[in-house]
Amino acid sequence: MPLKMTRWGQLLIFLGILGCSRAKPPEIAPETGPVIAAVTVEPEVAYFKDETTDSGVVFSYQNGEKSADHYSILESLGGGAGVLDFDGDGLLDLFLPGGGGFAGADKKTIVGYPCALFRNLGANKFQEVTAAAGLQSLAGGKPWFYSHGVAVADYDRDGWPDLLVTGWGGVALFRNVPFDPAHPGAGRRYEDATEKAGLSQGITWATSAAFADLDGDGYPDLYLCQYVDWSWLKHPLCHYDGKTPDVCPPKNFDGLAHKLFRNTGQGKFSDVSQESGLRPGGPNQSKGLGVVIVDVDGDGKPDIYVANDTVDNFLYLNVSKPGAIRLDERGLVSAVARDDRGNPNGSMGVAAGDPLRSGKPALWVTNYENELHMLYRNYSTPGRPVFNPYSIAAGIGAIGQKFVGWGTGFLDVDHDGWEDLFVANGHAIRHPAGKSANRWQHPVLLLNKNGQKFRDASQQIGDYSTAPRLGRGVAFGDLDNDGHTDLVISHLNEPVALLRGVGAQGNHWLGLQLEAQGHACSVGAKAVWEANGQRQTRFVMGGGSYASSSDRRLLFGLGQEASGLLTVTWPNGTVQKFANLMVDRYYRMVEGSPQAEIGTGPRK
Amino acid sequence: MVIDWRNRIRRPRLAILLAVLGVVVAGYAVFFFMERHKFNLLLTDGKAMLAAREYATASELLERYLVGRPADTGARLLAARAARQTRAYADARGHLRRCLADGGESEAIAVEEKLLAVLQGDEGPVGGLRQRAKLDDDLALVILEVLVQHDLNTYQLGAALEGFTRYLTHRPDDLHALLGRAFVWERFMSFADALEDYRKAVAAHPASERARLKLADSLLVVGTPEEALIHYRWLDEHGAGHPPVRLGLARCYRRLAEVEKANALLDGLVAEFPNHGETLWELGELNLEQGRLLVAEPLLRKAAALRPFDRRVHYGLYRCLLQQDRTAEAAVVDARVKQIDADMASLNAIRAAVIKEPDNADLRCEGGLIFLRHGEHEEGQRWLRLALRLDPQCEKARAALATEANRPPTPGASR
């Protein structure tokens, strides 16, 4: 029977869906096929234990949506978390940005909510010390601004960690000072040094920040991501389903130019954004959310990788000379500006690590839904950064593209010597269109299987992952100094979570605290552990994750190896080798000192 | 006992006569019944084919039915619809005239005439038909089928989406409407909604290879390769191991880091279809990420030549050249990527404008020319034909279509 082309057939050809059609009888055979995906539930043990409830940390970042239905893009960013040993007792304390809300008759006065500092008392107990540490307000009792992120560095090189808080309308720099100068170790507090340091002006909307010594003078300089040019005067309302108001995407706004401040070494920062070669803002530029600083090309100078939202990411190659910071943006030509298909992504969180054991830092960036989180394999040589997208090859595509990823980082949860990945997820808009991704999302843990592929082990995160979350920033740090990386996760309008790393029982580990001479900034240093012909590399980094500051100590998972050779390369190129180190402990290594000192815990 | 043989002989003759008569009558009855049954069967089958959208078959069956039942106006209307669907517009009009003369249902005939007019480029009846389609009856569904096609052809995606949705309200399991709406969702970049329609299509029509392939392809974009793999495997095992299925399987394996399996499948496909750009690109990317740059480059170069409009392919080649430090050559490819980006931005603007101004011939023409420049000849020609329909004086469209008509065929995309 001759079959002419039919109208619906033509329609289907138009739709491009006739690929495998063929004439069939109208009756449908009672054949069934799989419709629902098989879910693999693995019975393995959890790698984390949620210890928030007993910890004494009761704190929620607020974005203001409860006080007004503005659906402003300001509300979508959320906040991060910081871990730092502010009092020098060897235990990492927590700093948590508080966010903000809307006040006034029209609810259009943007107000900040207080941030919080929790002192680590040990044994998983924390005590809030915000007021005692002088962080209840800004200088002169001025209230907090609407905050997002935190960065930690010893900017004045006095050996104590200082604190930078980012947010809408500005930043605040807090200097770590003693209560009693005569007894610096007897108690510490923070004093607002923003104005004194020259950081009180010219900042519109700062998100993530990172410190690193870019010009080689030992003092940490400051890179500041800025987001978009939003205000009440530029506040469109968007509807994704045609009727429900929601937060507009960043495409509706111009990107703000980022900021680079050079640390003068005199307690001040000078704005060198222009002369250093930072890219300008604009409709398709610079919508910065995440930043990590690490030496990507192995020339000894820390380089800057920036996650921008919906526009090209930046890779600033550091070509500075002493006293003059100069950056050369090489994102596109090194293939880390876009995804594997050449599309700029909605990038949020960033990390660097060596999950493939190439000895060079791979870059990792978390993206929006319908996009792959991107892992970029590093093929760089000094002066020539070259990367290749590697997410597909690493099996990361297996998690699908339904997540909106934020805080993230490499960590070796099972101490097998292969760095794994954690991602906190949560949608950026309030009403993801009906059947689209959910606003509340589960976190993701990707286990690195010997550098061959990553396996989705999100089921093994533990009880925290049983409920979906509105995840944002994550700080990674060993809060109890047991060699397991713990997580501090900030959520939108929901309590911060503390997850204690409990995996990898039986495997060995080694922790390092690298201290450059004279309390100089050690970002750019790296450590290589060699055992049995295998090499692992860890890098001292600035920034990372999203709006958060993590433990700067380096952790190696050693598996069953209990001996090996450690080589430390300092930012100035000096190389030191350490043998006969004992495992399952931290060492403090000071540049130039031939002996590694068994560490008691972190300070900066 | 005496037997009267003469009477006995006479009676059988009568009996035989009667029997023959009976056989004739019965035969005629059977013939009459069979004929009637045959016509009924033709009508039933014709309707079934129409419902199954096998319009050519439906048309043939209904024509045969009407030979025996020429006065059946209901069947004649169906025959007109079937003829319309096979683009036999003159036949359709003939049926409608006869139907009207025989006292057929006047509204249905009038609607059918309007549908014919719309399909032949007359925009006049569209507004009225849209109104009529809002009524809750079978005729509304007939109208919607034509209107969504009209809306897709004229890139009125919002209206098409509404049409599909209205249609699905009445026939929620309709395969073609589900696939059609999913297509529109994809054009709106609403992939999760598209995925849901593909899932519904497979749930309602589990044996449909077309639906399952679309679902699998969609899962590779918005689902997980693990779930996509299940459906590709099903297609492969059920005899649909044609190139798109094998390519899908390879993509799943690549995403699941099963490199060797992916490599083997892609090698096989490239050997079999050396001019299939998508496959060449996939294999080129696989080699690129494995650091086999010299293997990747010729694959990507060939893919780029076959897919001049595909930025993914050109971006892959660009990265491949960059990694080899051949920056000058990379810059040339990068320029092509930027040109594609610029064209895509223009095209997106044109698409958005077309939704607001569907009758703007200049926009259609401009869009068509971009498609042609990208090597998307079929789509370009469609846009240009639309431009000409809207403005027969549109010289640019006419000239471009003339050039297209003289264009030598490109090497087979599949082989």
Side-chain angles (χ1 to χ4, degrees):
Chain A
M1 195 177 293
L3 281 177
K4 284 185 196 170
M5 186 58 69
T6 65
R7 174 60 52 186
W8 275 99
Q10 290 151 13
L11 172 60
L12 291 180
I13 280 184
F14 170 78
L15 300 180
I17 50 181
L18 204 61
C20 57
S21 71
R22 60 185 189 211
K24 277 182 174 291
E27 297 83 15
I28 299 298
E31 195 169 10
T32 55
V35 175
I36 297 164
V39 178
T40 310
V41 181
E42 299 192 8
E44 290 102 330
V45 293
Y47 287 110
F48 296 96
K49 188 165 187 286
D50 188 344
E51 297 200 333
T52 315
T53 310
D54 297 330
S55 69
V57 176
V58 182
F59 190 81
S60 297
Y61 179 95
Q62 300 295 323
N63 73 345
E65 72 178 58
K66 289 179 180 169
S67 55
D69 274 333
H70 290 309
Y71 298 97
S72 68
I73 194 167
L74 176 65
E75 297 157 50
S76 63
L77 296 193
V83 291
L84 72 166
D85 179 15
F86 90 98
D87 54 359
D89 65 355
L91 294 169
L92 288 170
D93 310 299
L94 310 183
F95 179 82
L96 302 168
F102 307 102
D106 60 356
K107 297 278 185 192
K108 286 194 171 176
T109 304
I110 299 167
V111 296
Y113 293 151
C115 303
L117 181 68
F118 287 88
R119 182 166 176 255
N120 189 341
L121 306 175
N124 187 42
K125 299 291 178 204
F126 291 80
Q127 176 190 23
E128 187 175 354
V129 293
T130 312
L135 291 168
Q136 75 278 23
S137 60
L138 305 177
K142 197 175 150 194
W144 275 98
F145 49 79
Y146 190 119
S147 57
H148 294 299
V150 51
V152 176
D154 179 12
Y155 84 94
D156 53 2
R157 292 177 60 177
D158 65 352
W160 294 90
D162 308 304
L163 195 57
L164 181 101
V165 185
T166 65
W168 197 80
V171 297
L173 179 69
F174 287 93
R175 185 166 170 249
N176 188 323
V177 296
F179 281 115
D180 178 1
H183 301 93
R188 308 292 296 186
R189 65 181 179 87
Y190 280 103
E191 71 178 21
D192 188 344
T194 314
E195 194 159 348
K196 207 167 158 185
L199 294 173
S200 59
Q201 285 181 341
I203 295 159
T204 310
W205 188 359
T207 53
S208 286
F211 286 100
D213 173 19
L214 298 172
D215 56 357
D217 64 0
Y219 285 90
D221 308 298
L222 171 64
Y223 187 95
L224 212 53
C225 292
Q226 293 212 94
Y227 195 42
V228 296
D229 187 18
W230 170 87
S231 69
W232 293 122
L233 298 174
K234 298 170 190 167
H235 176 58
L237 209 55
C238 290
H239 305 82
Y240 295 96
D241 63 355
K243 53 182 189 285
T244 317
D246 213 322
V247 175
C248 283
K251 280 189 186 299
N252 287 38
F253 307 94
D254 284 356
L256 293 168
H258 300 186
K259 291 279 185 183
L260 184 62
F261 294 93
R262 181 176 169 265
N263 189 333
T264 64
Q266 310 296 317
K268 278 188 178 297
F269 288 87
S270 61
D271 187 343
V272 293
S273 311
Q274 205 99 52
E275 61 260 41
S276 64
L278 285 198
R279 286 291 170 94
N284 294 308
Q285 287 253 54
S286 294
K287 302 175 184 184
L289 287 179
V291 55
V292 65
I293 305 186
V294 63
D295 177 14
V296 298
D297 63 342
D299 68 350
K301 295 175 181 174
D303 309 297
I304 305 168
Y305 183 55
V306 183
N308 289 319
D309 197 357
T310 69
V311 293
D312 288 343
N313 295 331
F314 295 141
L315 176 63
Y316 286 111
L317 198 65
N318 187 350
V319 291
S320 303
K321 292 173 181 165
I325 301 177
R326 293 292 179 271
L327 303 173
D328 183 10
E329 205 288 300
R330 305 283 284 275
L332 273 174
V333 296
S334 61
V336 291
R338 299 178 174 183
D339 66 13
D340 56 338
R341 299 184 166 207
N343 294 315
N345 290 157
S347 299
M348 271 83 77
V350 279
D354 189 22
L356 307 171
R357 289 195 181 170
S358 70
K360 299 171 179 182
L363 295 174
W364 165 251
V365 57
T366 56
N367 291 320
Y368 203 65
E369 71 177 329
N370 298 331
E371 298 169 347
L372 270 180
H373 297 337
M374 290 307 301
L375 177 66
Y376 298 96
R377 186 174 188 150
N378 191 340
Y379 294 95
S380 305
T381 51
R384 184 174 166 261
V386 179
F387 290 82
N388 201 32
Y390 205 70
S391 293
I392 298 280
I396 289 165
I399 62 169
Q401 300 180 172
K402 59 192 170 187
F403 296 107
V404 178
W406 299 82
T408 189
F410 287 101
L411 72 169
D412 186 355
V413 291
D414 48 5
H415 285 167
D416 66 350
W418 296 95
E419 285 181 294
D420 312 301
L421 276 163
F422 179 87
V423 185
N425 300 302
H427 219 293
I429 62 174
R430 281 171 64 177
H431 307 292
K435 305 128 198 169
S436 180
N438 294 317
R439 189 178 186 205
W440 283 263
Q441 301 185 348
H442 291 276
V444 166
L445 176 66
L446 292 164
L447 276 191
N448 185 344
K449 308 306 285 181
N450 303 325
Q452 300 296 309
K453 65 184 281 189
F454 282 87
R455 179 176 71 80
D456 183 2
S458 307
Q459 304 267 358
Q460 289 173 256
I461 290 172
D463 43 358
Y464 167 80
S465 68
T466 53
R469 313 276 176 163
L470 259 176
R472 289 296 186 267
V474 182
F476 298 79
D478 185 356
L479 299 176
D480 50 5
N481 295 327
D482 67 349
H484 295 111
T485 302
D486 309 305
L487 310 180
V488 185
I489 309 172
S490 178
H491 307 105
L492 272 190
N493 307 314
E494 291 169 358
V496 162
L498 255 66
L499 307 191
R500 193 160 66 84
V502 292
Q505 303 300 337
N507 280 345
H508 295 300
W509 59 275
L510 181 70
L512 309 175
Q513 179 161 334
L514 303 185
E515 290 186 20
Q517 272 184 347
H519 302 302
C521 178
S522 59
V523 171
K526 69 175 180 182
V528 178
W529 171 262
E530 288 175 88
N532 248 349
Q534 298 285 312
R535 290 161 62 100
Q536 293 186 57
T537 310
R538 300 286 182 270
F539 308 92
V540 182
M541 291 173 279
S545 191
Y546 168 71
S548 298
S549 184
S550 297
D551 193 348
R552 297 298 160 198
R553 291 177 295 174
L554 306 180
L555 260 175
F556 289 93
L558 306 181
Q560 294 302 306
E561 292 294 338
S563 64
L565 176 69
L566 183 81
T567 305
V568 174
T569 305
W570 297 95
N572 63 8
T574 312
V575 176
Q576 283 185 266
K577 291 185 185 290
F578 301 88
N580 304 319
L581 296 172
M582 289 181 287
V583 296
D584 300 333
R585 68 197 60 206
Y586 281 98
Y587 280 95
R588 177 169 169 261
M589 289 156 179
V590 180
E591 184 183 5
S593 170
Q595 294 300 316
E597 176 189 319
I598 292 178
T600 53
R603 191 156 92 185
K604 64 174 185 177
Chain B
M1 190 176 179
V2 179
I3 300 169
D4 183 353
W5 288 104
R6 290 187 68 172
N7 275 343
R8 287 259 169 178
I9 291 166
R10 205 172 286 155
R11 275 186 201 153
R13 279 184 183 160
L14 183 63
I16 287 167
L17 193 65
L18 286 172
V20 168
L21 196 64
V23 166
V24 168
V25 169
Y28 183 77
V30 167
F31 174 76
F32 181 78
F33 176 77
M34 288 295 282
E35 276 294 290
R36 187 184 170 131
H37 181 66
K38 186 181 91 180
F39 280 112
N40 285 346
L41 213 59
L42 283 171
L43 182 61
T44 309
D45 286 354
K47 283 179 176 174
M49 286 292 131
L50 202 57
R53 298 201 169 90
E54 297 290 353
Y55 297 118
T57 313
S59 192
E60 194 179 319
L61 293 169
L62 290 166
E63 292 285 358
R64 280 166 57 195
Y65 169 80
L66 286 169
V67 170
R69 298 281 184 276
D72 185 338
T73 55
R76 197 165 287 283
L77 187 64
L78 295 180
R81 282 179 190 159
R84 159 168 60 74
Q85 297 284 12
T86 58
R87 288 192 174 186
Y89 299 137
D91 293 351
R93 287 219 157 78
H95 282 304
L96 291 178
R97 274 195 301 275
R98 175 79 190 266
C99 195
L100 193 62
D102 289 348
E105 194 193 338
S106 59
E107 193 206 5
I109 294 166
V111 162
E112 196 57 36
E113 275 171 348
K114 286 177 186 167
L115 294 178
L116 279 170
V118 169
L119 285 173
Q120 290 182 286
D122 183 359
E123 291 286 314
V126 170
L129 286 169
R130 284 202 201 285
Q131 283 303 316
R132 177 60 186 83
K134 288 178 181 168
L135 295 184
D136 211 6
D137 60 7
D138 285 347
L139 193 54
L141 295 183
V142 172
I143 297 169
L144 282 171
E145 284 196 14
V146 174
L147 284 184
V148 289
Q149 187 185 330
H150 163 270
D151 294 337
L152 288 170
N153 281 336
T154 52
Y155 214 77
Q156 298 184 61
L157 297 186
L161 185 64
E162 199 182 321
F164 278 127
T165 302
R166 192 180 291 275
Y167 194 92
L168 285 164
T169 308
H170 295 277
R171 295 189 182 161
D173 291 340
D174 187 280
L175 178 65
H176 298 76
L178 283 167
L179 297 185
R181 188 170 68 177
F183 166 83
V184 180
W185 281 129
E186 285 177 341
R187 287 299 167 281
F188 280 125
M189 309 293 278
S190 193
F191 298 110
D193 292 300
L195 179 63
E196 186 168 297
D197 276 345
Y198 290 135
R199 282 192 197 282
K200 282 181 189 167
V202 169
H205 306 275
S208 166
E209 291 168 7
R210 192 169 62 225
R212 197 173 290 274
L213 183 61
K214 291 303 292 180
L215 173 61
D217 288 346
S218 182
L219 283 165
L220 262 182
V221 179
V222 286
T224 62
E226 213 169 16
E227 192 185 351
L229 185 62
I230 293 169
H231 295 287
Y232 284 124
R233 276 187 177 147
W234 186 95
L235 287 163
D236 198 36
E237 285 160 11
H238 287 72
H242 46 62
V245 174
R246 284 153 66 194
L247 181 59
L249 279 170
R251 286 178 163 160
C252 288
Y253 288 133
R254 227 189 112 203
R255 278 153 187 75
L256 294 167
E258 297 190 37
V259 179
E260 282 175 15
K261 281 186 185 173
N263 211 143
L265 272 166
L266 291 169
D267 275 342
L269 274 171
V270 166
E272 207 174 329
F273 304 99
N275 290 321
H276 191 260
E278 279 271 324
T279 310
L280 288 164
W281 170 62
E282 194 75 27
L283 186 58
E285 281 284 341
L286 186 148
N287 279 287
L288 183 57
E289 71 193 8
Q290 296 301 318
R292 299 190 287 260
L293 305 181
L294 296 180
V295 180
E297 187 188 334
L299 292 164
L300 293 168
R301 276 200 188 280
K302 192 169 178 184
L306 287 163
R307 298 180 67 81
F309 52 87
D310 193 335
R311 72 191 305 285
R312 303 168 307 170
V313 177
H314 291 267
Y315 188 68
L317 178 59
Y318 166 72
R319 284 188 283 116
C320 186
L321 293 168
L322 274 181
Q323 279 200 48
Q324 297 174 69
D325 209 12
R326 288 155 59 186
T327 45
E329 288 170 81
V332 173
V333 181
D334 186 38
R336 176 66 194 143
V337 173
K338 288 190 168 83
Q339 177 63 52
I340 295 171
D341 283 347
D343 280 347
M344 287 312 295
S346 306
L347 207 50
N348 286 338
I350 289 169
R351 280 172 164 153
V354 158
I355 289 171
K356 288 176 190 156
E357 295 178 68
D359 299 334
N360 187 327
D362 288 343
L363 287 172
R364 304 284 183 177
C365 187
E366 207 180 325
L369 293 175
I370 293 176
F371 277 122
L372 290 186
R373 193 160 67 230
H374 276 212
E376 292 189 75
H377 295 278
E378 203 175 315
E379 189 67 357
Q381 287 172 25
R382 198 172 69 81
W383 277 63
L384 291 169
R385 279 196 295 271
L386 271 166
L388 269 186
R389 204 166 89 183
L390 292 166
D391 176 12
Q393 309 304 317
C394 182
E395 277 311 313
K396 275 198 288 187
R398 193 177 297 283
L401 280 171
T403 309
E404 279 293 290
N406 295 322
R407 183 175 58 85
T410 46
S414 59
R415 198 175 271 277

